[in-house]
């Protein structure tokens, strides 16, 4: 069979393969796969952690309370779903929203790396410890242990080249973190302002893409 050529068609093919071939206990327990949403041609990719209850119910990432906060943070710097693509480290919900374990990360992230290859974003904004460590370790699950936490890394861009893909990483706290630790709201808002400034100097926002 011929490989699909458009980005959306290539993403659809990855989604279909996860449904067909991925083996993981989370998959058996989940209601829906949560693959990703947004613009496949976006220059900005956000990577969260794992689907929660509402995402599992709908099959769409970031539709629950963390998603509402993420929407507000994006809007505050003039971004919409047309400007970004949003995916997660895990494609299926861990029971009770527990942290992903290493075995799950190993099973799920090869598909995330395929999504990254297709989207080929200029910026990868990581939300929380798991995606920050995975991306900064160069997509290497073993290497994640050596990467400091997001509390150390947040708010500062880093250039990265992994497997021939070059991008800027911008680590951010996970928006859910400010729901249980309210002082983090100001930190996230400030980091998003820095992100907005970085994107506008580098011409990654929609106005500039269309201009
Ligand atoms: N938290 C995440 O990291 N991802 C989602 O899709 C929802 C909540």
């Amino acid at each position: 069979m011929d490989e699909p050529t458009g980005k959306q068609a290539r993403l659809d093919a990855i989604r279909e393969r996860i449904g067909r071939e991925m083996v993981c206990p989370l998959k058996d327990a989940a209601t829906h796969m949560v693959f990703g949403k947004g613009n496949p041609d976006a220059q900005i990719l956000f990577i969260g952690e794992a689907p929660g209850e509402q995402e599992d119910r709908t099959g769409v990432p970031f539709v629950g309370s963390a998603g509402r906060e993420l929407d507000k943070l994006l809007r505050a710097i003039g971004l919409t779903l047309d400007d970004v693509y949003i995916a997660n480290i895990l494609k299926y919900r861990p029971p009770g929203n527990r942290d992903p374990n290493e075995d799950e990360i190993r099973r799920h992230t090869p598909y995330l790396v395929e999504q990254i290859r297709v989207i080929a974003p200029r910026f990868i904004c990581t939300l929380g410890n798991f995606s920050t460590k995975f991306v900064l370790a160069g997509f290497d699950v073993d290497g994640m242990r050596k990467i400091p936490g997001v509390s150390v890394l947040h708010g500062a861009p880093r250039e990265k080249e992994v497997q021939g893909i070059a991008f800027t990483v911008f680590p951010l706290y996970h928006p859910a973190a400010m729901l249980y630790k309210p002082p983090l709201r100001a930190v996230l808002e400030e980091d998003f302002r820095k992100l907005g400034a970085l994107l506008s100097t580098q011409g990654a926002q929609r106005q500039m893409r269309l201009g």
Side-chain angles (χ1 to χ4, degrees):
M1 205 165 61
D2 289 342
E3 284 287 305
T5 50
K7 285 191 177 188
Q8 187 58 60
R10 289 165 66 201
L11 290 174
D12 290 345
I14 299 167
R15 180 202 291 261
E16 189 274 327
R17 257 190 314 104
I18 297 171
R20 185 158 40 83
E21 72 183 21
M22 188 208 273
V23 177
C24 178
L26 294 182
K27 183 179 185 180
D28 304 329
T31 310
H32 286 109
M33 178 203 309
V34 178
F35 181 74
K37 71 176 177 185
N39 181 353
D41 292 310
Q43 298 192 5
I44 311 160
L45 170 66
F46 281 81
I47 306 178
E49 184 177 308
E53 188 183 357
Q54 298 208 39
E55 290 78 18
D56 177 60
R57 193 166 344 113
T58 56
V60 183
F62 283 99
V63 289
S65 50
R68 285 190 289 280
E69 297 297 343
L70 179 60
D71 286 345
K72 278 191 245 165
L73 290 161
L74 289 172
R75 269 203 306 275
I77 58 166
L79 294 176
T80 71
L81 259 194
D82 281 344
D83 302 300
V84 303
Y85 192 90
I86 304 177
N88 282 311
I89 289 286
L90 297 189
K91 304 296 181 211
Y92 293 96
R93 181 188 185 213
N97 299 345
R98 64 157 170 76
D99 284 350
N101 66 37
E102 213 173 284
D103 175 62
E104 291 156 358
I105 297 172
R106 269 183 220 291
R107 290 172 190 265
H108 293 227
T109 49
Y111 300 97
L112 173 63
V113 174
E114 289 190 37
Q115 282 174 291
I116 296 171
R117 281 194 174 288
V118 170
I119 297 163
R122 279 173 56 197
F123 297 89
I124 298 184
C125 302
T126 54
L127 299 169
N129 273 320
F130 288 91
S131 58
T132 298
K133 291 179 181 221
F134 179 72
V135 173
L136 288 176
F139 309 154
D140 170 29
V141 182
D142 292 316
M144 289 174 69
R145 294 189 208 106
K146 297 190 216 105
I147 307 292
V150 73
S151 61
V152 175
L153 299 171
H154 73 94
R158 284 168 180 73
E159 300 306 316
K160 192 91 192 151
E161 188 174 337
V162 189
Q163 301 169 20
I165 319 169
F167 49 85
T168 302
V169 188
F170 198 89
L172 292 155
Y173 276 103
H174 194 290
M178 68 188 189
L179 295 174
Y180 54 82
K181 235 186 189 181
L184 286 181
R185 178 176 295 275
V187 178
L188 253 165
E189 287 173 352
E190 175 58 20
D191 285 352
F192 265 78
R193 277 193 288 275
K194 288 185 199 162
L195 174 64
L198 176 72
L199 297 176
S200 56
T201 56
Q202 305 218 7
Q205 280 165 305
R206 181 173 40 157
Q207 301 91 299
M208 318 212 42
R209 248 200 350 254
L210 296 176

